[in-house]
Amino acid sequence: MKIMSFNTLFCTNYFTKQIDFQAMADAIKKCNPDIVGLNEMYGKSHMEEYDSQTEKLSALTGLPYFKFAEACVLEEGTFGNAVLSKTPFINAKVIPVPEEEVKTGNQLYEPRCLLKLKYDNGLTVLIIHFGLNKDEHINAVNTVLENLEEEKCVLMGDFNVLPDDDVLEPIKKRMTDTALFFKEPLLSFPSDKPFKKIDYIFVSPDIKVLSADIPPIAVSDHLPDTVEIEI
């Protein structure tokens, strides 16, 4: 089974600055995934180019099962995470990440959510997009920990933190960072000249990792993250 994590920049081509569903779909198809976790996607919108982005990518990629997870409403429309899948999931739950009562960071705050999916083979998939501020990171990690399964569990997304950040330690104690299986150190952002890794796929200890990669497919501002697994 192949898993892919991809921040799409709301389906905007990083180089042309235009909404480009075909380019995003082509990037996904090159990776040939069974399950794709998507960050920075729009759901319903009054603007055609932002409307039903997950459904449009599903049609273009041939991945028939999809779910959009609303985190917040922005000017363009509903905004959040999504999944595309070759096989049906039996349950999908959207879990808000708690917002901070007192905001201590100096970067933009936006509501975030966790998308939790269950498959009939026992696999659980968690898709999340961390905020930009340290207090948001802590709340996101706590939300993840509350929803992790001890077996057959995959966690992925744009975490907006570097691999050596202490905030990831509670997750690393319970899951394996698949970047350990890269053939060489790889970076994910920005896609044209990456200088840092902020995108992740973690798996529970019982899942066998066959290979992992950040393929150099530059279309969004993030490169995709992929892993092949056996469960």
Side-chain angles (χ1 to χ4, degrees):
M1 174 180 286
K2 193 168 188 181
I3 307 294
M4 176 181 181
S5 182
F6 190 30
N7 184 321
T8 72
L9 189 65
F10 44 88
C11 295
T12 301
N13 188 310
Y14 184 52
F15 302 94
T16 68
K17 311 305 180 187
Q18 302 296 315
I19 299 291
D20 193 339
F21 294 109
Q22 190 61 59
M24 297 299 152
D26 289 345
I28 292 169
K29 288 191 291 184
K30 283 180 182 177
C31 295
N32 192 29
D34 296 284
I35 300 172
V36 187
L38 302 170
N39 301 131
E40 293 196 12
M41 293 286 290
Y42 277 102
K44 294 182 182 295
S45 174
H46 62 282
M47 304 170 67
E48 182 179 356
E49 64 267 32
Y50 290 101
D51 193 47
S52 304
Q53 293 190 334
T54 308
E55 184 175 358
K56 290 175 181 176
L57 285 186
S58 172
L60 289 169
T61 59
L63 296 169
Y65 302 98
F66 62 91
K67 170 72 176 178
F68 171 74
E70 178 183 327
C72 63
V73 180
L74 302 179
E75 181 179 352
E76 293 84 356
T78 56
F79 181 78
N81 305 312
V83 67
L84 304 175
S85 181
K86 279 186 180 178
T87 57
F89 37 88
I90 59 176
N91 182 266
K93 186 177 182 182
V94 181
I95 302 157
V97 175
E99 295 186 59
E100 299 68 26
E101 293 184 8
V102 179
K103 295 177 171 60
T104 59
N106 57 12
Q107 298 199 65
L108 174 69
Y109 280 82
E110 288 177 344
R112 306 282 172 153
C113 73
L114 173 73
L115 175 57
K116 184 173 185 177
L117 304 137
K118 293 274 193 177
Y119 287 81
D120 60 7
N121 63 357
L123 181 67
T124 299
V125 174
L126 306 176
I127 301 165
I128 196 164
H129 185 191
F130 285 23
L132 300 174
N133 298 283
K134 186 70 173 182
D135 46 5
E136 292 181 290
H137 299 163
I138 293 169
N139 283 351
V141 168
N142 289 336
T143 302
V144 166
L145 295 175
E146 290 167 2
N147 288 279
L148 283 183
E149 305 293 343
E150 297 302 323
E151 298 179 344
K152 294 185 178 181
C153 190
V154 174
L155 166 68
M156 60 178 143
D158 172 5
F159 285 21
N160 276 313
V161 296
L162 299 177
D164 60 355
D165 195 309
D166 289 343
V167 77
L168 295 178
E169 286 306 310
I171 294 174
K172 290 179 177 180
K173 287 180 179 178
R174 294 178 60 181
M175 306 192 83
T176 301
D177 184 352
T178 59
L180 296 172
F181 295 85
F182 291 163
K183 293 181 179 179
E184 59 182 345
L186 297 171
L187 306 174
S188 66
F189 182 86
S191 60
D192 57 342
K193 296 179 180 179
F195 64 85
K196 61 183 178 179
K197 183 183 183 298
I198 56 176
D199 300 273
Y200 298 86
I201 302 177
F202 289 91
V203 297
S204 54
D206 60 315
I207 291 179
K208 182 179 180 180
V209 178
L210 302 178
S211 64
D213 193 16
I214 294 181
I217 302 173
V219 59
S220 173
D221 60 338
H222 289 244
L223 294 173
D225 197 344
T226 64
V227 61
E228 292 188 78
I229 62 171
E230 283 186 359
I231 60 170

